[in-house]
Amino acid sequence: MNSKRERFVFLGHEFKPGKYVGPTPKAVEKFKERVKEITRRNQTVDIEQLVKKKLNPYLHGWGNYFGIGDVKKRFQGWDAWIRRRLRMVQLRSWKKIRKLHRELRRRGWDNELPGLRMTAWRSSHSTYAQYAMPNTWFEEIKLCSLTEIYNNLHPQRG
């Protein structure tokens, strides 16, 4: 057997033929479970403190450890998923729809105000939630971006 054609796992990294390196499915599953645990939907918390104290340290460590591989697209997808989970936590923390309306008006929303279930997962993907909490808002509260970590680890790949 030719060892260059076999896939193998070492310290949570999966090495495949053709120089592919990435996290193992088990590592990805553990990552998602931990992010879900940190961003539980049934909590009402200050989102900035949640990001600063719990989520960012985990994302920094995980991103730096697995960012050496070929994971740019995966990191982009996970960043979007994490932002959606945080939108859900924020909607749940606001509890009342009028707080969402207030945030929409503050950001310049001039259309009809929505009726939205503040506790439904699908609401976190709505236009209204994304308008009230745009990606720039996550930069303002200093959410760690896995894609940014990847770009810092691989400046030549841009």
Side-chain angles (χ1 to χ4, degrees):
M1 271 199 229
N2 189 349
S3 63
K4 290 183 181 179
R5 297 192 184 277
E6 293 179 20
R7 128 195 194 307
F8 68 96
V9 174
F10 183 69
L11 295 176
H13 290 85
E14 184 174 30
F15 296 84
K16 291 183 180 177
K19 298 183 182 175
Y20 171 82
V21 180
T24 61
K26 184 178 176 183
V28 170
E29 188 178 317
K30 278 181 71 175
F31 166 73
K32 287 188 168 190
E33 283 177 17
R34 180 71 178 123
V35 171
K36 283 180 183 179
E37 184 183 307
I38 293 169
T39 60
R40 287 186 328 271
R41 288 180 15 205
N42 62 349
Q43 61 184 340
T44 53
V45 295
D46 177 17
I47 198 93
E48 290 183 43
Q49 290 301 311
L50 176 74
V51 165
K52 183 180 174 185
K53 298 234 189 304
K54 291 186 179 177
L55 190 58
N56 275 354
Y58 183 70
L59 293 178
H60 273 291
W62 204 89
N64 281 316
Y65 186 73
F66 287 105
I68 61 165
D70 306 318
V71 290
K72 186 172 188 174
K73 291 277 188 218
R74 291 173 116 184
F75 274 16
Q76 289 170 343
W78 291 332
D79 276 343
W81 175 71
I82 290 166
R83 285 191 303 268
R84 183 173 179 191
R85 290 204 56 90
L86 288 171
R87 283 185 183 107
M88 185 66 246
V89 170
Q90 184 63 59
L91 286 174
R92 179 70 184 230
S93 294
W94 281 340
K95 293 181 185 174
K96 304 285 184 193
I97 191 79
R98 65 178 177 262
K99 289 189 179 179
L100 174 64
H101 291 172
R102 187 180 308 139
E103 188 63 28
L104 286 169
R105 283 192 300 271
R106 193 177 76 71
R107 293 199 179 268
W109 184 265
D110 57 356
N111 297 333
E112 186 179 323
L113 293 172
L116 202 64
R117 284 183 42 215
M118 300 297 276
T119 57
W121 168 245
R122 70 174 175 262
S123 298
S124 64
H125 196 58
S126 71
T127 305
Y128 312 114
Q130 291 184 14
Y131 194 90
M133 297 168 272
N135 291 353
T136 54
W137 179 71
F138 291 105
E139 292 169 14
E140 291 167 14
I141 64 171
K142 295 181 176 35
L143 174 65
C144 171
S145 166
L146 293 172
T147 306
E148 214 171 280
I149 290 172
Y150 179 87
N151 290 336
N152 290 340
L153 290 171
H154 304 281
Q156 73 281 7
R157 294 185 187 177

